[in-house]
RNA sequence: GCGAGAGUGGCGAAAUUGGCAGACGCGCUGGACUUAGGAUCCAGUGGGCCAAAAGCCCUUGGGGGUUCAACUCCCCCCUCUCGCACCA
């Protein structure tokens, strides 16, 4: 590494821009920005409104980064890529008349923070505070133009008090399907009491009207309406982490996203948030967002809307309801399949195998019950790897029962098979092997009848046919296309009361409890009969008790028979509390689970706006000013949200959900939290492993003879993430020491467009340092330290280049292509070095150069600006504007092609017409030589572009 | 398997959206200043033919097409990255 202290060398000019000088300049300007409150953004009202009148006429702009969780490893150079990008844009917008709010907080609750604390044997409160301090110092050195007053930490009581408050709003609300929005439960109760409505379907198991229900029954009905509710259901239990997880936190391989531990399904009573009520709106409103298409697509896939029908198949055990997207194929349903966990399986299992049961259907067992036990047992014993490998081979077992196809009247067998998931649709399907590949495979394996209901084309050679075609073997549907057949059959099903059109989502309700210590406690207590009671807002925050034995029990990660045990249960004094909640002092038990990692990040961007408000989570006027819709139909939200694509589903879906609840309840004016999303790329790096597969320090690896070596031993190289454990981390601190923060900023922005991943290359950083050195030298005499600005004439060519550079730099920054902005600045400076060598530079050139550099390398730009004689910071100085008249040259160089190949360059007036251009081209000696004795078949002249003679 | 995106010098990349391919850098080569150079400055640097220059030819993953003109538009294929994956 080039960590030299060259300023100490005698032959280095005394006023050269070196790492040492950069360090001085950077700390001086950082202090000054802080002292002068340069980046404080004023709210229209409230505690942070000082100075608002001065900026009231500006256009507001809310710029936000996905906030980091403060890990113990500190920052590496990959972390700040997005932060630098947003800072460049923020500074640019500020110089263009915008009123920019930009800050940075910390996502401090959650598993990573707690695990780090456990590893280091310290309390998470201590490690979190220390880690945040490290992050703040590293980030401060970057010179980010943030309003630090607005920084929030999700684990501070002043913050999580409001996370708890929002949970209470969710708890005290229900989704009014008729109105298409969430409403307070008080409104529901009023309408029920007034007889204006009856409980929603599925919430009243008592079979009597509201007016006839007892107090306890009414309580039950109300609890079933809540957007936050307790439910006993199979959840994702992860012994390795000691907690249950949301579906979004479990990988397709059935392991925890964090830590990669096995996850088991286990029935437990847990808090759920009714995100499914918002499925349609979460899907529809994606259209209103300026987000990367791949992220929208990921959310669409996760929500997984499919339109189809539910159909009831009568059986001796009762009606079996199935979901299908192809109701038109119902005549071809030759058997039913239930998921192994389906509640009706037990009732469907016959005592003995019916007569004529085929050998293949029994699995060799003596009775259906035995077969079922064997089948469920073999599924549970399979390892994940085996499940992946045999995922496509169909297994299952006959229940011994039959059902009736309600349309064709056919008697069809009922199977249980693990290719049907309990979590989707109704957990049961009608199998139509003729039109479904999976059903075909199963039908082949179990020798079941196959009836085609859509006629395949003549040349079709496959098995199941899923394409378009006329219906066959389908009674009154015969001859119809799929769409029309669907319409007819759904009408028929509804008319005969055996089915209905319906929409199903893949999205499940959000499992919201975690058996961990380091999270927000729920603002919930349980009364003497074990029912949850919300604490009044006045009792918030429910503070996390200070505990020394906060770690969850250490389970064997592979032991499915363990059970979660919230650490807060050990805080016995805290866990029981005597309260007067309106009916006298009584003893209550507290909720012992905590909220998941994602709770704080669901709304932190709102709190940034009004971080000190202790009466509301945000003042409505402040929220409307920064996040409100700009026009009717506009979703509102943060103007630009920058972060990694890894949050495409989890955080971004949860935050949208909370935003919509808050919107429905009238607390915020924006329907969406993030109007525009931008995914920055990763900074990647090479990592090296020795022959045992152990990582070796990447910085000590040498490349020679076509191979890589560490201490003389060959190592293998792989490319990927940067990380401490991979021994390929480079810290910003190393770069600050070697070159300064401005160099690091410029380097990171120079390696490519912001949305692209790029490799880190320490040896290339010097190029950005040299650029700053050269710009410094353009303005400052390295020997004397004097400003080189002089009263010298500017050529038209130079002036044009300045204006062209301004136009290009503006365009590049606005498109978040900072690499090309830097290239154009470098180009201009290279030109100035030549054009004004030894003469000093004109002010009219030096000043725009410095101002253009300012968003990218703000410290050195401020220093140069001040040395150019300006007493004030340039942070609010107008960004240079290009004069359109200065962009065009009087004469331009035009390529002349013969048959599409450039053979000459001629000079023509920029406004030359076609004839003049052709004339100029023919006048060129080389062109004339090429054309001599040949017939020109065609001449293409594009004014201002080129001339092409076609002779071939 | 399905969906999305991407393939340009040794490396990171650029190309006003169909008009001089490789801007700006790293690296490399040579030179200057030097006790020294892992500092700084200057020059050169896609490949080939040629002693060199001039000149000519080739070149944006591969193949075909449209066009006076294709990194850019169309068709087929290959490779890589990401997401989803028995979702009925």
């Amino acid at each position: 590494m080039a960590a030299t202290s060259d300023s100490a060398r005698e032959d280095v000019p005394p006023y050269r821009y070196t790492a040492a000088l950069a360090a001085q300049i950077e700390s001086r300007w950082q202090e000054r920005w802080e002292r002068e409150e340069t980046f404080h953004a004023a709210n229209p009202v409230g505690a942070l409104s000082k100075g608002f009148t001065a900026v009231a006429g500006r256009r507001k702009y809310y710029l936000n980064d996905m906030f980091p969780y403060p890990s113990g490893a500190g920052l590496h150079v990959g972390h700040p890529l997005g932060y630098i990008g947003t800072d460049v844009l923020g500074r640019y917008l500020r110089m263009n008349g915008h009123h920019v709010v930009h800050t940075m907080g910390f996502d401090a609750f959650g598993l990573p923070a707690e695990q780090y604390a456990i590893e280091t044997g310290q309390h998470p409160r201590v490690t979190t505070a220390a880690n945040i301090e490290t992050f703040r110092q590293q980030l401060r050195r970057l010179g980010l133009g943030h309003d630090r007053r607005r920084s929030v930490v999700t684990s501070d009581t002043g913050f999580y008090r409001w996370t708890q408050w929002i949970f209470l709003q969710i708890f005290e609300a229900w989704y009014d399907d008729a109105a298409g929005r969430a409403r307070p439960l008080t409104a529901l109760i009023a309408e029920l009491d007034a007889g204006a409505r009856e409980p929603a379907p599925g919430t009243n198991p008592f079979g009597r009207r509201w007016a006839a229900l007892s107090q306890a029954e009414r309580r039950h009905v109300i609890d079933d309406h809540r957007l936050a509710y307790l439910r006993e259901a199979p959840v994702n239990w992860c012994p390795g982490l000691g907690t249950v997880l949301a579906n979004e936190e479990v990988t397709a391989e059935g392991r925890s996203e964090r830590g990669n531990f096995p996850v088991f399904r286990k029935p437990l009573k847990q808090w759920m948030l009714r995100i499914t009520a918002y499925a349609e709106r979460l899907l529809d409103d994606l259209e209103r967002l300026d987000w990367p298409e791949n992220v929208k697509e990921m959310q669409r896939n996760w929500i997984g809307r499919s339109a189809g029908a539910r159909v009831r198949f009568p059986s001796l055990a009762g009606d079996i309801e199935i979901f299908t997207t192809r109701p038109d194929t119902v005549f071809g349903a030759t058997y039913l399949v239930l998921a192994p966990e389906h509640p009706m399986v037990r009732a469907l299992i016959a005592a003995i195998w019916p007569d004529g049961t085929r050998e293949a259907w029994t699995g060799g067992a003596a009775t259906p019950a035995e077969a079922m036990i064997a089948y469920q047992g073999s599924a549970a014993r399979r390892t994940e790897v085996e499940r992946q490998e045999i995922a496509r081979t169909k297994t299952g077992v006959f229940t011994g029962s039959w059902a009736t196809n309600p349309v064709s009247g056919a008697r069809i067998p009922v199977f249980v098979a693990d290719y049907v998931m309990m979590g989707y649709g109704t957990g049961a399907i009608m199998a139509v092997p003729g039109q479904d590949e999976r059903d075909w495979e199963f039908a082949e394996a179990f020798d079941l009848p196959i009836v085609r209901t859509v006629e395949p084309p003549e040349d079709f050679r496959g098995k199941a046919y899923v394409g378009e075609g006329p219906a066959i073997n389908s009674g009154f549907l015969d001859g119809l296309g799929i769409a029309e057949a669907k319409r007819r059959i759904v009408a028929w099903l509804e008319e005969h009361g055996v089915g209905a059109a319906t929409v199903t989502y893949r999205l499940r309700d959000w499992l919201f409890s975690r058996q961990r210590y380091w999270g927000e406690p729920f603002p919930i207590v349980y009364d003497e009969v074990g029912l949850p009671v919300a604490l009044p807002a006045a009792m918030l925050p429910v503070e996390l008790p200070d505990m020394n034995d906060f770690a969850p029990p250490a389970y064997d990660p592979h032991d499915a028979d363990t059970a979660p045990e919230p650490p807060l249960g050990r805080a016995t004094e805290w866990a029981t509390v005597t309260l007067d909640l309106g009916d006298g002092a009584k003893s209550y038990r507290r909720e012992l689970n905590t909220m998941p990692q994602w709770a704080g990040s669901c709304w932190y961007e709102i709190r940034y706006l009004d971080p000190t408000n202790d009466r509301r989570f945000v003042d409505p006027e402040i929220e409307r000013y920064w996040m409100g819709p700009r026009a009717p139909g506009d979703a509102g939200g943060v103007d630009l949200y920058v972060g990694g694509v890894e949050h495409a589903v989890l955080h971004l879906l949860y935050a949208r959900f909370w935003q919509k609840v808050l919107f429905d309840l009238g607390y915020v004016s924006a329907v969406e939290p993030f109007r525009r999303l931008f995914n920055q790329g990763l900074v990647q790096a090479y990592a090296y492993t020795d022959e045992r597969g152990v990582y070796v320090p990447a910085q000590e690896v040498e490349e020679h003879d076509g191979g890589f070596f560490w201490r003389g031993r060959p190592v293998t190289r792989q490319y990927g993430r940067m990380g401490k454990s991979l021994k390929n981390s480079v810290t910003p601190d190393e770069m600050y020491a070697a070159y300064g923060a401005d160099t690091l900023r410029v380097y990171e922005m120079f390696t490519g467009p912001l949305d692209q991943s790029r490799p880190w290359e320490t040896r290339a950083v010097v190029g950005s340092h040299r650029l700053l050195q050269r710009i410094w030298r353009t303005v400052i005499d390295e020997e004397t330290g004097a400003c080189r600005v002089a009263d010298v004439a500017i050529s038209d060519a130079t002036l044009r280049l300045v204006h062209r550079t301004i136009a290009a730099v503006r365009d590049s920054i606005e498109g978040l292509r900072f690499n090309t902005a830097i290239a154009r600045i470098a180009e201009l400076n290279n030109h100035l070095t030549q054009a004004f060598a030894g003469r000093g530079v004109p002010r009219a050139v030096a000043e725009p150069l410095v101002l253009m550099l300012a968003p990218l390398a703000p410290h050195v730009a401020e220093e140069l600006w001040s040395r150019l004689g300006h007493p004030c910071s340039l942070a609010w100085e107008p960004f240079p504007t290009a004069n359109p008249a200065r962009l065009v040259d009087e004469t331009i160089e035009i390529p002349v092609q013969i048959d599409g190949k450039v053979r000459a360059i001629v000079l023509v007036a920029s406004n030359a017409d076609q004839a003049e251009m052709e004339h100029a081209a023919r006048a060129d000696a080389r062109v004339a030589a090429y054309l001599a004795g040949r017939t020109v078949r065609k001449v293409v002249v594009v004014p201002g572009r080129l001339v092409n003679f076609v002779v071939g």
Side-chain angles (χ1 to χ4, degrees):
Chain A
M1 193 198 327
T4 54
S5 55
D6 48 17
S7 60
R9 307 268 180 190
E10 284 164 22
D11 60 333
V12 170
Y15 297 93
R16 170 161 293 175
Y17 181 79
T18 60
L21 180 57
Q24 280 176 31
I25 291 172
E26 286 163 10
S27 69
R28 188 186 316 145
W29 280 97
Q30 282 161 16
E31 278 162 30
R32 183 160 163 192
W33 293 329
E34 230 157 276
R35 196 170 62 241
E36 297 181 355
E37 303 180 349
T38 308
F39 302 112
H40 283 195
N43 280 344
V45 294
L48 304 184
S49 62
K50 192 185 124 196
F52 182 74
T53 44
V55 291
R58 289 173 164 246
R59 290 230 325 259
K60 68 91 189 178
Y61 198 93
Y62 186 4
L63 189 57
N64 193 28
D65 300 276
M66 290 186 189
F67 65 166
Y69 76 85
S71 79
L75 293 175
H76 60 63
V77 289
H79 290 113
L81 184 73
Y83 308 156
I84 297 169
T86 50
D87 188 48
V88 174
L89 184 69
R91 287 173 178 272
Y92 172 80
L93 291 172
R94 197 174 287 110
M95 294 172 80
N96 276 287
H98 287 80
H99 180 209
V100 178
V101 66
H102 192 193
T103 189
M104 168 88 47
F106 295 93
D107 191 12
F109 266 143
L111 272 173
E114 186 176 314
Q115 279 177 316
Y116 179 73
I118 293 168
E119 281 161 26
T120 59
Q122 293 169 280
H123 195 278
R125 202 183 304 283
V126 175
T127 53
T128 299
N131 294 347
I132 288 175
E133 190 46 36
T134 307
F135 268 57
R136 283 205 164 124
Q137 274 176 18
Q138 286 182 306
L139 290 172
R140 188 177 183 277
R141 270 293 263 123
L142 266 178
L144 302 173
H146 289 172
D147 184 347
R148 294 213 182 80
R149 302 169 303 172
R150 296 172 183 268
S151 180
V152 298
V153 177
T154 55
S155 60
D156 285 349
T157 50
F159 183 90
Y160 73 70
R161 162 192 181 178
W162 295 109
T163 310
Q164 293 171 336
W165 181 87
I166 294 171
F167 176 83
L168 288 179
Q169 308 314 304
I170 298 171
F171 180 72
E172 301 285 12
W174 62 296
Y175 202 84
D176 182 345
D177 282 316
R181 65 185 177 89
R183 297 174 63 203
L185 278 172
T186 49
L188 172 69
I189 294 166
E191 289 176 19
L192 289 167
D193 286 347
R197 74 161 67 229
E198 282 299 313
T203 62
N204 183 357
F206 307 108
R208 279 170 281 124
R209 298 173 63 84
W210 173 260
L213 296 179
S214 71
Q215 207 55 36
E217 287 167 341
R218 288 184 171 190
R219 173 70 194 278
H220 183 104
V221 167
I222 293 300
D223 281 351
D224 272 1
H225 277 84
R226 294 180 191 276
L227 291 184
Y229 60 96
L230 282 166
R231 187 176 65 187
E232 170 97 23
V235 297
N236 305 301
W237 163 235
C238 179
L241 293 173
T243 183
V244 299
L245 298 169
N247 290 347
E248 288 81 1
E249 294 168 303
V250 179
T251 63
E253 288 79 38
R255 303 180 79 91
S256 62
E257 181 151 79
R258 187 164 289 281
N260 201 32
F261 294 112
V263 169
F264 303 94
R265 301 293 286 176
K266 196 177 187 73
L268 286 168
K269 195 171 195 178
Q270 300 287 325
W271 282 102
M272 308 291 292
L273 299 192
R274 207 179 297 278
I275 189 172
T276 50
Y278 284 86
E280 197 75 40
R281 282 167 65 189
L282 288 168
L283 189 68
D284 289 348
D285 284 353
L286 286 171
E287 303 302 322
R288 305 165 71 175
L289 298 176
D290 181 7
W291 282 21
E293 195 47 47
N294 63 329
V295 175
K296 287 195 196 180
E297 195 59 25
M298 279 187 239
Q299 292 219 346
R300 281 188 204 110
N301 289 340
W302 189 262
I303 295 166
R305 181 187 199 274
S306 44
R310 292 185 181 222
V311 186
R312 280 190 297 281
F313 284 64
S315 80
L316 286 177
D319 283 358
I320 301 170
E321 192 175 42
I322 63 95
F323 172 75
T324 179
T325 56
R326 292 291 303 275
D328 60 299
T329 65
V330 64
F331 282 93
T334 53
Y335 62 102
L336 296 186
V337 186
L338 273 61
E341 308 91 335
H342 197 286
M344 285 183 72
V345 169
R346 188 183 295 244
L348 284 162
I349 295 171
I352 53 161
W353 295 117
D355 283 346
T357 300
R358 287 171 225 190
E359 187 66 28
W361 295 10
T362 67
T367 64
E370 271 181 37
M372 200 63 58
I373 289 164
Y375 183 65
Q376 286 166 343
S378 73
R381 274 195 306 277
R382 266 180 223 149
T383 67
E384 284 304 324
V385 178
E386 284 168 347
R387 270 185 68 173
Q388 293 295 304
E389 281 170 1
I390 59 170
R392 297 255 158 210
T393 47
K394 294 288 176 289
T395 60
V397 62
F398 180 42
T399 58
S401 292
W402 301 76
T404 307
N405 183 323
V407 184
S408 68
R411 185 165 169 268
I412 60 176
V414 181
F415 283 78
V416 166
D418 65 1
Y419 83 95
V420 174
M421 315 288 127
M422 192 57 226
Y424 188 75
T426 61
I429 62 156
M430 64 172 197
V432 187
Q435 262 67 237
D436 185 285
E437 284 164 12
R438 297 151 301 181
D439 295 346
W440 182 291
E441 285 172 26
F442 191 86
E444 276 197 328
F446 287 81
D447 193 21
L448 287 152
I450 294 168
V451 178
R452 285 198 193 280
T453 60
V454 177
E455 186 159 27
E458 273 184 29
D459 59 350
F460 180 71
R461 293 288 169 271
K463 295 175 171 178
Y465 176 66
V466 298
E468 181 60 60
I472 49 170
N473 305 318
S474 294
F476 62 91
L477 300 178
D478 279 358
L480 299 174
I482 292 174
E484 181 56 22
K486 277 184 183 174
R487 268 193 292 278
R488 294 275 187 93
I489 192 69
V490 167
W492 189 95
L493 292 169
E494 286 175 354
E495 193 181 316
H496 291 78
V498 291
T502 185
V503 173
T504 301
Y505 299 93
R506 199 184 91 109
L507 183 70
R508 309 282 84 199
D509 276 343
W510 179 12
L511 174 68
F512 200 66
S513 320
R514 297 293 182 276
Q515 292 74 42
R516 299 294 295 220
Y517 168 72
W518 193 236
E520 298 87 349
F522 281 77
I524 294 285
V525 293
Y526 294 90
D527 63 16
E528 66 279 6
V529 293
L531 287 171
V533 180
L535 291 173
M539 288 189 185
L540 302 184
V542 176
E543 289 202 41
L544 190 62
D546 222 341
M547 300 173 61
N548 289 324
D549 56 340
F550 55 85
Y555 301 102
D556 173 358
H558 300 276
D559 187 355
D561 295 326
T562 47
E565 207 179 293
L568 286 179
R570 299 197 291 271
T572 44
E573 288 195 12
W574 178 87
T576 311
V577 61
T578 303
L579 298 169
D580 184 346
L581 298 178
D583 48 356
K586 291 202 290 188
S587 179
Y588 294 91
R589 285 185 305 106
R590 287 192 191 274
E591 168 65 60
L592 301 177
N593 289 307
T594 52
M595 298 187 199
Q597 168 97 67
W598 315 101
S601 58
C602 274
W603 73 284
Y604 75 109
E605 79 285 354
I606 300 175
R607 190 63 179 172
Y608 279 164
L609 301 179
D610 197 8
T612 57
N613 195 332
D614 56 6
R615 294 186 309 112
R616 298 165 180 270
F617 76 106
V618 67
D619 183 293
E621 191 175 342
I622 295 171
E623 187 275 338
R624 208 175 319 118
Y625 175 75
W626 290 112
M627 290 179 80
R630 292 194 189 119
D634 178 21
V638 169
D639 290 288
L640 178 64
Y641 192 36
V642 175
V645 73
E646 66 272 17
H647 292 116
V649 175
L650 290 151
H651 156 58
L652 288 170
L653 194 65
Y654 296 149
R656 293 182 63 214
F657 164 48
W658 278 38
Q659 182 79 26
K660 288 186 185 304
V661 177
L662 292 170
F663 173 83
D664 284 355
L665 298 177
Y667 294 115
V668 294
S669 65
V671 198
E672 285 284 338
F674 312 112
R675 180 195 311 268
R676 182 179 173 207
L677 175 72
F678 189 91
N679 293 126
Q680 95 271 3
L682 292 171
V683 174
Q684 299 184 293
Y686 291 105
Y688 302 86
T689 46
D690 63 16
E691 51 276 78
R692 293 167 304 163
V694 177
Y695 286 102
V696 303
Q699 293 192 12
E700 298 169 18
V701 171
E702 290 169 354
E703 180 177 7
H704 52 80
D705 305 325
F708 300 95
F709 299 87
W710 180 66
R711 299 193 177 162
R713 314 203 53 141
V715 291
T716 39
R717 184 170 84 157
Q718 56 212 256
Y719 183 59
R721 292 192 85 106
M722 196 177 263
K724 223 176 188 178
S725 58
L726 307 174
K727 297 209 175 146
N728 62 354
S729 265
V730 178
T731 65
D733 310 70
E734 294 169 66
M735 294 300 109
Y736 299 152
Y739 301 109
D742 279 332
T743 296
L744 177 62
R745 291 173 60 111
V746 170
Y747 172 72
E748 294 220 4
M749 294 301 99
F750 187 55
T751 42
L754 194 59
D755 54 353
Q756 227 170 73
S757 290
R758 69 286 310 274
W760 176 265
E761 213 180 338
T762 297
R763 67 175 184 180
V765 181
V766 68
S768 299
H769 189 61
R770 282 187 201 132
L771 170 63
L772 296 182
Q773 246 172 6
R774 295 201 306 267
I775 294 175
W776 176 266
R777 199 155 43 230
T778 300
V779 183
I780 301 295
D781 188 312
E782 285 189 330
E783 297 298 335
T784 66
C787 183
R788 291 187 63 237
V789 163
D791 193 11
V792 289
I794 312 172
S795 70
D796 278 357
T798 298
L799 209 53
R800 259 190 313 276
L801 181 62
V802 171
H803 283 266
R804 272 208 283 263
T805 305
I806 291 168
V809 167
R810 280 182 163 272
D811 194 57
S812 294
I813 292 181
E814 283 162 25
L816 303 179
R817 296 181 303 269
F818 305 120
N819 54 329
T820 49
I822 294 165
R824 302 310 288 262
I825 291 171
E827 214 172 4
L828 174 63
N829 192 64
N830 289 349
H831 171 84
L832 299 179
T833 311
Q834 305 274 323
F836 299 100
R839 294 197 294 146
V841 282
R843 180 169 293 271
V845 173
E847 293 198 340
L849 175 71
V850 168
L851 290 172
M852 282 191 282
L853 182 67
L856 293 150
H859 311 88
V860 65
E862 287 272 24
E863 185 67 20
L864 292 173
W865 187 245
S866 116
R867 289 179 184 228
L868 283 164
H870 301 280
C872 291
S873 163
L874 52 59
W876 295 79
E877 202 65 31
F879 199 85
T881 23
N883 179 351
R886 288 284 179 201
L887 294 178
V888 286
D889 209 335
E890 276 176 32
T891 57
I892 47 175
E893 288 182 345
I894 288 292
V896 181
Q897 299 180 337
I898 314 288
D899 286 339
K901 291 198 168 84
V902 179
R903 298 299 185 187
I905 303 287
V906 297
L907 220 58
V908 299
S910 58
N911 58 358
D913 64 20
Q914 297 201 1
E916 288 167 335
M917 282 177 64
E918 183 178 342
H919 181 78
R922 285 183 185 279
D924 183 83
R926 269 173 61 79
V927 175
Y930 265 103
L931 296 180
R934 307 172 76 173
T935 357
V936 175
R937 289 199 294 127
K938 185 173 179 182
V939 185
V940 181
V941 182
V942 184
R945 282 266 187 266
L946 55 46
V947 180
N948 188 10
F949 293 100
V950 185
V951 295

